[in-house]
Amino acid sequence: MRLLVIEDEQRTATHLQKGLRENGFVVDVAYDGVEGLQLARIGAYALIVLDVMLPSMDGWEILNQLRQAGVRIPVLFLTARDKVEDRVKGLEMGADDYLVKPYAFSELLARIRTILRRGLGKQEEVLRIGDLEIDSRRHKVTRAGQNLYLSRREFVLLSCLAQSPGEVVSRTRIVEQVWDINFDTGTNIVEATMRRLRAKVDDPFEKPLIHNVRGVGYVLEAR
Ligand code: CA
């Protein structure tokens, strides 16, 4: 799994990168806020470890911009700011967790794993795209008021597309989020699962919501 660390303090960043790599993660580092936001928006990250005080744009603003853009990648704040108000602010803004420096690496790792186990991070209870409704807490999907019965994998695949409606989700990102980064992408399992998903979500209805962008990926959008 690929993680992004946005941290301007070189030593902390290096320490984090090294430790996370040793635990099997692929880790990119951004040392300033604007660069971090750009990477966060285009990269297929499973989680972002985010510092608050950063050059060019602070962590609050990065989180704010990501959430406003509908990007739901889980965010763990790692910061020296230890006031209760700061923690509350971070969590209210949609961060998934908040850890204060100095921190124990083992605790950070445990918290990252907990967030990743929760799946796709903190989500809206019900996502709506056109007449499609995805209730992530109850694993319930309806379209035009009709229940759609999706397998677990189909549900995760739909949720992956629904994380950023209107944006093309690359095949690579789908493989990483829905299967595993080490998954053999030479097979057609993505296409096969996508076909089954579309048969349920789109085929019975007049207007398709899942669109194929040839050679790139898929987009979930009411057109
Ligand atoms: Ca800092």
Side-chain angles (χ1 to χ4, degrees):
M1 265 191 222
R2 185 177 285 272
L3 309 185
L4 175 63
V5 171
I6 308 179
E7 168 65 73
D8 61 317
E9 205 197 20
Q10 188 90 36
R11 270 185 57 194
T12 308
T14 305
H15 178 246
L16 278 170
Q17 191 172 33
K18 185 167 173 285
L20 292 169
R21 277 182 178 162
E22 282 168 5
N23 282 279
F25 294 103
V26 178
V27 184
D28 292 342
V29 176
Y31 297 97
D32 85 86
V34 170
E35 185 199 352
L37 178 63
Q38 280 171 352
L39 277 176
R41 294 189 69 152
I42 58 168
Y45 296 106
L47 181 140
I48 301 170
V49 178
L50 182 57
D51 186 18
V52 172
M53 304 304 287
L54 287 162
S56 76
M57 180 185 288
D58 68 25
W60 306 127
E61 186 57 25
I62 292 173
L63 177 61
N64 191 26
Q65 293 215 15
L66 284 176
R67 293 302 186 245
Q68 288 210 344
V71 178
R72 282 173 231 284
I73 305 168
V75 168
L76 186 151
F77 269 119
L78 183 63
T79 169
R81 299 174 66 119
D82 63 350
K83 289 206 217 92
V84 174
E85 304 93 277
D86 284 334
R87 288 183 197 225
V88 170
K89 183 178 173 184
L91 296 173
E92 278 182 347
M93 284 176 73
D96 295 80
D97 206 346
Y98 195 106
L99 193 59
V100 175
K101 293 175 192 166
Y103 63 97
F105 184 79
S106 55
E107 184 181 3
L108 174 74
L109 190 62
R111 289 189 184 211
I112 286 175
R113 288 187 168 143
T114 301
I115 295 171
L116 294 176
R117 263 200 304 276
R118 284 205 296 255
L120 300 167
K122 196 173 277 186
Q123 301 190 334
E124 301 291 318
E125 278 179 35
V126 180
L127 271 172
R128 290 183 183 82
I129 296 102
D131 56 0
L132 179 73
E133 293 193 356
I134 305 168
D135 185 335
S136 52
R137 270 214 293 194
R138 286 187 287 172
H139 272 229
K140 196 177 158 195
V141 180
T142 62
R143 183 156 182 199
Q146 285 177 246
N147 279 326
L148 306 181
Y149 299 97
L150 306 185
S151 71
R152 199 191 70 82
R153 189 76 76 185
E154 291 157 5
F155 183 84
V156 176
L157 178 57
L158 181 63
S159 301
C160 172
L161 298 180
Q163 273 182 293
S164 39
E167 284 175 36
V168 180
V169 183
S170 72
R171 194 178 183 285
T172 311
R173 180 160 175 183
I174 290 170
V175 169
E176 285 176 1
Q177 289 203 354
V178 181
W179 282 271
D180 188 272
I181 193 160
N182 297 317
F183 181 80
D184 174 19
T185 56
T187 71
N188 65 355
I189 195 158
V190 176
E191 288 70 26
T193 310
M194 191 63 82
R195 238 186 340 265
R196 288 200 304 275
L197 178 64
R198 291 171 106 173
K200 294 176 183 176
V201 171
D202 280 342
D203 291 357
F205 303 93
E206 198 183 330
K207 287 189 177 167
L209 293 173
I210 300 171
H211 310 276
N212 185 12
V213 182
R214 199 170 288 275
V216 184
Y218 296 89
V219 58
L220 181 64
E221 184 178 39
R223 289 181 177 165

